[in-house]
Amino acid sequence: MYEPLLLDLLRRSGVRATFFVIGRNAQAYPYFVQDMVAGGHEVGNHTYHHVRLPPLPLADAMGEMRLASETIRALTGQPVRYFRPPGGEYTPETLHAAESLGLTTVFWTDDPGDFTNPGDATLESRLKRQLRPGGIVLLHDNAPEMLDVLRGFLRVAREEDVRLTTVGGLPK
Ligand SMILES: [Zn+2]
């Protein structure tokens, strides 16, 4: 429900981001995914049902990745390049499976814990402390508070003179 506001905030800030979307949600809200692409954002794969992969038989884990990629590709017209496993949980087998589907598995260097709702001041100081060039910051978009979190983060990045971009936009 907050996605349009989030995308609007990014647009007004001139910032592009990578969204790791759940295939089932992309299917349910295709216009949000299309708005992401229209805004110059990157859309990554976060499985179809948001399931933890390690306990699954490998064929099922691959099915989750493949179905999410197919769903996103159908909506965006672009191949999906990046994958983030739910909970950050993986095995060597899931990494190889992602690779075989043309996906690079992407983790993060900074998890400020926005989903635990520690309060804006705490989040902002965590973001500020860990912000650095080449870092990947993990944020969630499923609670209204995230708009305040993102607003604070954009301000911190501006103050620290760190330019924000997509995963694909990171220097190699
Ligand atoms: Zn997740």
Side-chain angles (χ1 to χ4, degrees), residues 100-150:
S100 74
L101 294 170
L103 297 166
T104 301
T105 302
V106 176
F107 296 96
W108 55 84
T109 59
D110 183 9
D111 173 9
D114 60 345
F115 54 93
T116 64
N117 214 345
D120 291 354
T122 304
L123 268 172
E124 199 167 316
S125 75
R126 285 182 191 166
L127 285 164
K128 195 164 193 154
R129 204 169 54 236
Q130 300 185 41
L131 190 69
R132 59 187 165 280
I136 296 178
V137 181
L138 171 64
L139 294 173
H140 295 77
D141 66 356
N142 50 2
E145 296 78 25
M146 62 87 180
L147 285 167
D148 290 331
V149 171
L150 182 62

Side-chain angles (χ1 to χ4, degrees), residues 47-97:
T47 73
Y48 194 82
H49 293 102
H50 203 265
V51 283
R52 311 254 156 171
L53 297 180
L56 288 186
L58 190 59
D60 292 358
M62 278 190 87
E64 279 287 331
M65 295 178 202
R66 189 183 290 116
L67 187 55
S69 277
E70 284 169 359
T71 302
I72 296 164
R73 185 176 186 141
L75 292 174
T76 65
Q78 295 167 6
V80 184
R81 295 171 60 195
Y82 300 110
F83 172 68
R84 174 164 292 161
E89 292 180 11
Y90 68 99
T91 62
E93 288 74 24
T94 61
L95 292 179
H96 283 134

